[in-house]
Amino acid sequence: KHLSNCQRSARPLLSAVANAKKYSESIYLLLLPIYLFAQFIPGTMAYSKFPAGFSYHVTLVMGILVVLKMLLFDTFEWKDAAMFILVGLLIYSSCMKVMTFHMFYYYLFIIGARNIDYRKIIRVFLIFIPTFLVVIAVLAKLRYIPGLVFGRYGDATVRYALGTIYPTDLAARVFYVAMFYAVLRRFKFNLAEHVGYLGLTILIYAITDTRLDTMLMILVYLVVLFRKPVFNFINWLGYQWINLLSLFAILVSILLAYFYKPDNPIFTLIDRVLSGRLVHQREAFTKYNVTVFGQYVTESGNGGANHNENYKYFFIDSSFMRVLMMNGLVCFILVVIAIWFMSKRFIQENAISLEICLLLVIVSSIIDQHMIEISFNILFLAFFANNAFFSEQKENSHLSVS
């Protein structure tokens, strides 16, 4: 009888906890698309149609609201809360020097995604980002915003941006959308999805003539085709080896830039394969070098339409190089640690789809700049999220997790 009374008295508390979790998830999934939109618009030619500071102010409000959501509906152990605050202060101090706060607000949404169903987060991304892309492309076609057209030097190929600021940005967005769709499907396609995915890959290459993202989309499709052996291999390899190989690749990409010499034929060949990225990353070391907490770096990219006669291209494309040079050594180490623990968690939970997604993000980020841009890459939101949907049944694989 006493036990029964305790159970009855515990019911309101359990109900309150369940309601808090429900409200926390609903609020987060309401804030996320607004934040995505605020981060998406600056990468399009529609940005000039919005009031000055639109993206900054909307992002600021979303950051404040996601913090309020955590304070009102989420519970944290004091040690976890202290760690989150410390890491947040480190990232914020770096962003103050860089004069851009993308990493800090992304971090707030990573903490805010704690225990939220990651499948729902991906669905929000897959509903809104393609919608934004279609609307922007239509506006460009209607000439409400400029639809920029580019070419390569010495090449007659025409490259279309369809309302975005550059064709490679458009291709990168399509790659991330396609990859997260494959992740949501856990790399299992039906016939219609096979046809649609191949058609999209061919279409985006024809429109943008972008090699990297086309190759990455092909890699995603190869995982779909050879799903079982790829999943088994990832399981067999284990997170320790995967992380060591990933860290090695990241460091090699940075060292190649640091030691780059234009008169070395091997470096010249690598730079040509990377479309001239290596020479500009070396220029970053020459002009700025690495700091502990970051620095402001003046860049002049090809995107947009406001280039004058004195324009000289300088842009750091590699995401890892950008974090190292702009946000500093501390933030670079934090990103590497985040990748390490995400990989460990994905493997231990047998969420192989997410692990493959992480590897594809690493490959893309060694060359491209979108790793810390949430309107491209939402994978870091899985750090504390509920990833149960992506856990494979271990009995389906004869290889155990390392």
Side-chain angles (χ1 to χ4, degrees):
K1 184 177 179 181
H2 176 69
L3 182 60
S4 177
N5 289 335
C6 289
Q7 288 174 337
R8 281 197 295 269
S9 62
R11 283 172 188 166
L13 178 61
L14 293 173
S15 177
V17 171
N19 286 335
K21 288 182 178 179
K22 183 176 69 174
Y23 293 142
S24 175
E25 183 170 273
S26 298
I27 292 169
Y28 186 90
L29 296 176
L30 179 64
L31 298 177
L32 182 59
I34 303 172
Y35 176 40
L36 289 174
F37 181 72
Q39 293 299 302
F40 174 89
I41 285 297
T44 72
M45 298 305 294
Y47 190 58
S48 62
K49 304 293 183 180
F50 289 83
F54 169 81
S55 178
Y56 168 77
H57 290 108
V58 173
T59 300
L60 174 63
V61 172
M62 293 304 103
I64 293 171
L65 290 177
V66 82
V67 170
L68 287 175
K69 187 273 301 185
M70 288 187 275
L71 293 174
L72 294 173
F73 299 106
D74 298 341
T75 56
F76 298 92
E77 295 288 337
W78 71 267
K79 290 181 180 179
D80 292 338
M83 182 189 68
F84 293 153
I85 292 170
L86 175 60
V87 173
L89 289 173
L90 289 173
I91 294 174
Y92 188 83
S93 64
S94 167
C95 291
M96 288 285 288
K97 292 181 177 294
V98 182
M99 297 176 63
T100 179
F101 290 84
H102 297 314
M103 182 179 285
F104 178 70
Y105 289 111
Y106 198 159
Y107 174 74
L108 294 181
F109 270 79
I110 290 171
I111 306 302
R114 185 168 168 264
N115 296 326
I116 292 175
D117 188 349
Y118 189 60
R119 172 176 49 170
K120 294 180 181 178
I121 292 175
I122 294 181
R123 283 174 174 168
V124 168
F125 179 84
L126 291 177
I127 289 169
F128 285 95
I129 294 299
T131 301
F132 298 159
L133 281 172
V134 170
V135 171
I136 288 297
V138 170
L139 292 176
K141 282 307 193 182
L142 294 176
R143 299 187 179 181
Y144 181 73
I145 61 173
L148 302 181
V149 179
F150 294 84
R152 298 186 190 275
Y153 181 76
D155 191 334
T157 303
V158 177
R159 310 171 70 205
Y160 299 92
L162 296 184
T164 62
I165 59 173
Y166 202 63
T168 54
D169 272 27
L170 173 60
R173 289 197 183 279
V174 174
F175 157 66
Y176 275 103
V177 167
M179 177 181 67
F180 281 112
Y181 180 82
V183 170
L184 186 62
R185 299 286 292 126
R186 293 189 294 182
F187 293 94
K188 298 176 184 177
F189 282 3
N190 58 34
L191 179 59
E193 288 167 331
H194 279 283
V195 174
Y197 188 92
L198 287 173
L200 179 64
T201 304
I202 294 168
L203 178 65
I204 201 63
Y205 181 71
I207 291 172
T208 66
D209 189 39
T210 303
R211 294 182 291 259
L212 169 66
D213 294 294
T214 303
M215 288 188 289
L216 288 170
M217 290 180 73
I218 292 171
L219 272 178
V220 171
Y221 189 64
L222 289 175
V223 175
V224 173
L225 289 180
F226 303 103
R227 183 184 188 276
K228 186 174 181 179
V230 171
F231 276 44
N232 285 342
F233 178 72
I234 295 294
N235 252 332
W236 173 78
L237 198 57
Y239 78 87
Q240 295 97 334
W241 276 106
I242 290 172
N243 280 332
L244 287 173
L245 292 171
S246 299
L247 181 60
F248 177 76
I250 293 166
L251 294 178
V252 166
S253 70
I254 292 171
L255 291 174
L256 282 173
Y258 185 80
F259 291 108
Y260 172 79
K261 295 185 183 301
D263 56 350
N264 185 305
I266 296 176
F267 280 119
T268 303
L269 176 62
I270 295 172
D271 186 49
R272 190 180 302 121
V273 170
L274 297 176
S275 302
R277 288 173 167 88
L278 210 55
V279 65
H280 296 295
Q281 291 174 27
R282 174 57 199 163
E283 188 179 349
F285 277 115
T286 304
K287 285 183 174 181
Y288 297 98
N289 218 329
V290 179
T291 62
V292 176
F293 286 106
Q295 62 194 317
Y296 178 76
V297 174
T298 303
E299 295 180 292
S300 299
N302 281 332
N306 299 317
H307 301 314
N308 57 39
E309 63 276 6
N310 298 319
Y311 162 75
K312 184 179 184 299
Y313 181 85
F314 170 67
F315 194 84
I316 306 172
D317 282 289
S318 166
S319 294
F320 293 105
M321 274 289 295
R322 291 182 73 80
V323 173
L324 182 62
M325 300 302 300
M326 295 181 179
N327 295 98
L329 184 61
V330 170
C331 281
F332 177 81
I333 293 172
L334 288 175
V335 168
V336 171
I337 290 172
I339 289 172
W340 184 285
F341 280 99
M342 284 175 67
S343 178
K344 180 180 179 180
R345 183 188 175 193
F346 294 160
I347 293 293
Q348 289 181 338
E349 294 181 351
N350 215 37
I352 307 302
S353 296
L354 295 179
E355 179 65 18
I356 291 171
C357 181
L358 177 60
L359 293 175
L360 289 166
V361 168
I362 291 170
V363 172
S364 174
S365 301
I366 286 173
I367 302 171
D368 260 354
Q369 74 269 23
H370 303 298
M371 180 175 67
I372 309 296
E373 298 178 37
I374 197 169
S375 66
F376 287 85
N377 173 34
I378 56 165
L379 183 60
F380 286 106
L381 298 181
F383 197 107
F384 296 112
N386 177 359
N387 302 323
F389 171 79
F390 300 95
S391 180
E392 301 293 322
Q393 295 299 316
K394 293 184 180 181
E395 59 268 21
N396 290 344
S397 174
H398 65 278
L399 294 172
S400 61
V401 179
S402 299

